Amino acid sequence: MKKLFLCFALILSLLFTGCSLFSFNDSESYAMTIDGEKISVGEFSVYLYEQKATFEQTGGTDIWETDFNGTPAADVAKENAYNSIIYVKTACKNAKGIGVSLTDEDKAEAESLAEETLEKMNAEYIASVGLSSEQTAEIMEEIILHQKVMESVTKTFLLSEADYSAYIDDYQAENPDDDTPRAYLESSMREAYIKGKKDEIYKEQIKSWAEDTVVEKNEAVWAEIDITVL
């Protein structure tokens, strides 16, 4: 379950411009809504921090000076966190229908992950957004449940060797300067190929489940969330 941190946005130690932490008004202290459910800034922060950590691990702290197709890296990270929450909430809403639930071991793991998360977050920030250990454990339970739903939805996937061979053919045709032996390519690219196919299956399932889901950002608060100032 420790690998959940690598797959989904999990933690945030987020500061805002100025000498003190941003103070959210209680009446506007949510970042977004999903079918009317308010996602607090604290909950959003749990997802956003791992985006920040992942971006900086990949591109260093200078990553925030980079644009992706004209969109600032900070905005891309926020959108990734936003989409991650939609995925998790949608999966949890449909988990019971496909026979997926949490075990006592899962719940214990969620508590452990919550403790690790809060230890990494700035204590003053945690207080400013009202993020409690109980809420953080609930967030971790939902992330673990999402992971189990994903595994359930994709467990029947079977790799077509013919399709995979055609994929390698296409790769070699598009990369004529890569002289890596075909046997090595087939071995080294297999895991990523399978993951990509499973991701496609899961995305289609989430898209189907979320077809009628209403999601809205709280624009006033959204604009104040600044991942770049730490």
Side-chain angles (χ1 to χ4, degrees):
M1 288 301 183
K2 301 294 184 183
K3 293 181 179 179
L4 289 173
F5 279 151
L6 300 178
C7 301
F8 305 100
L10 296 187
I11 11 180
L12 171 68
S13 176
L14 184 64
L15 301 180
F16 296 85
T17 304
C19 297
S20 61
L21 294 169
F22 186 87
S23 179
F24 293 99
N25 183 287
D26 287 343
S27 64
E28 296 183 341
S29 62
Y30 63 95
M32 57 189 287
T33 61
I34 302 178
D35 282 340
E37 177 189 352
K38 292 182 178 180
I39 307 301
S40 70
V41 173
E43 182 170 3
F44 184 79
S45 297
V46 171
Y47 285 82
L48 187 57
Y49 179 80
E50 182 60 21
Q51 287 295 327
K52 181 178 185 299
T54 299
F55 271 60
E56 291 186 352
Q57 182 179 11
T58 302
T61 55
D62 291 341
I63 191 69
W64 308 117
E65 300 174 12
T66 304
D67 286 352
F68 293 88
N69 296 322
T71 302
D75 290 342
V76 174
K78 286 168 71 173
E79 289 297 325
N80 286 352
Y82 172 84
N83 289 324
S84 292
I85 292 176
I86 296 172
Y87 266 62
V88 170
K89 295 293 184 180
T90 300
C92 291
K93 182 179 178 180
N94 291 275
K96 185 177 180 180
I98 61 172
V100 176
S101 61
L102 295 174
T103 64
D104 290 340
E105 182 180 0
D106 293 329
K107 293 177 181 179
E109 178 69 9
E111 290 185 4
S112 177
L113 290 173
E115 290 178 5
E116 292 176 16
T117 298
L118 294 176
E119 286 176 0
K120 294 178 181 179
M121 294 177 71
N122 180 284
E124 186 180 358
Y125 178 78
I126 292 171
S128 73
V129 296
L131 183 61
S132 67
S133 58
E134 292 79 7
Q135 182 187 16
T136 308
E138 290 174 359
I139 293 168
M140 295 305 165
E141 285 187 4
E142 289 187 340
I143 291 171
I144 292 172
L145 185 58
H146 166 268
Q147 178 72 16
K148 296 183 73 170
V149 169
M150 181 169 64
E151 291 170 355
S152 178
V153 168
T154 61
K155 66 183 179 181
T156 59
F157 171 77
L158 294 175
L159 175 65
S160 166
E161 292 296 343
D163 288 347
Y164 184 54
S165 179
Y167 172 78
I168 298 297
D169 288 341
D170 290 342
Y171 174 84
Q172 291 184 310
E174 294 169 3
N175 299 273
D177 295 332
D178 188 344
D179 58 1
T180 304
R182 184 183 179 93
Y184 181 80
L185 285 176
E186 290 179 346
S187 174
S188 63
M189 298 174 69
R190 183 177 293 265
E191 184 176 347
Y193 177 83
I194 292 174
K195 181 182 183 302
K197 288 298 181 182
K198 287 186 174 183
D199 286 348
E200 289 176 9
I201 293 170
Y202 190 57
K203 286 177 181 177
E204 284 302 311
Q205 182 61 75
I206 289 291
K207 182 179 179 181
S208 175
W209 279 338
E211 187 174 1
D212 298 321
T213 300
V214 178
V215 184
E216 296 181 348
K217 293 176 184 175
N218 184 355
E219 296 293 350
V221 169
W222 187 267
E224 299 292 344
I225 300 175
D226 184 0
I227 194 175
T228 66
V229 184
L230 188 61

